[in-house]
């Protein structure tokens, strides 16, 4: 089985504006995803808001620079992830359609295969 990282992006202002009912529907969608994926979910977490991030990069002289928050200005920021095992991308796509983030205009999901060096 291959491993896939599902990255969940969204607009923090839109998430902050969601009603309790919208959050309940969102939580129910994640529960449905987890139930469908079952033991294929290796890990999955919601992340703290993007402004709590710290970015680390080298400048032109090779000195390390830290920046509070995400490095790039963007409306959409990484809000959570799942690491799952699946037989192929089609299986992942069928499960990911259960997540509300793929059905809302202010969010989305990116799926990346994990490289196996072993």
């Amino acid at each position: 089985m291959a491993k896939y990282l599902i990255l969940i992006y969204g607009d923090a202002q839109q998430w902050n504006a969601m009603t309790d009912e919208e959050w309940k529907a969102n939580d129910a969608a994640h529960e449905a995803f987890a139930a469908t994926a079952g033991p294929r979910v290796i890990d999955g977490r919601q992340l703290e808001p993007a402004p709590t991030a710290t970015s680390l990069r080298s400048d032109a002289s090779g000195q390390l620079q830290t920046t509070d928050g995400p490095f790039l200005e963007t409306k959409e920021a990484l809000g959570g992830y799942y690491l799952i095992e699946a037989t192929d991308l089609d299986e992942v796509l069928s499960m990911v359609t259960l997540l509300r983030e793929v059905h809302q205009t202010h969010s989305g999901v990116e799926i990346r295969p994990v490289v196996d060096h072993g």
Side-chain angles (χ1 to χ4, degrees):
M1 296 259 270
K3 289 185 175 79
Y4 293 87
L5 185 62
I6 300 166
L7 302 168
I8 302 168
Y9 291 90
D11 181 337
Q13 289 180 341
Q14 295 285 330
W15 289 115
N16 291 337
M18 285 174 46
T19 66
D20 287 342
E21 287 302 312
E22 289 171 318
W23 275 112
K24 286 178 187 172
N26 195 67
D27 291 344
H30 281 271
E31 289 170 11
F33 171 83
T36 299
R40 291 173 291 199
V41 174
I42 298 167
D43 193 18
R45 308 285 176 178
Q46 181 177 354
L47 301 175
E48 291 291 336
T52 66
T54 301
S55 296
L56 183 64
R57 300 207 188 269
S58 291
D59 64 16
S61 68
Q63 296 295 314
L64 292 179
Q65 302 293 316
T66 59
T67 305
D68 291 336
F71 186 73
L72 300 174
E73 281 296 320
T74 180
K75 274 191 160 187
E76 289 187 351
L78 184 62
Y81 70 92
Y82 286 102
L83 178 61
I84 67 168
E85 288 184 316
T87 54
D88 57 27
L89 180 59
D90 289 335
E91 183 180 20
V92 178
L93 290 170
S94 69
M95 289 185 281
V96 168
T97 60
L98 296 170
L99 299 174
R100 275 193 78 195
E101 287 85 354
V102 301
H103 301 286
Q104 297 179 354
T105 59
H106 64 83
S107 60
V109 171
E110 177 181 344
I111 302 165
R112 287 204 198 173
V114 175
V115 176
D116 180 6
H117 289 287

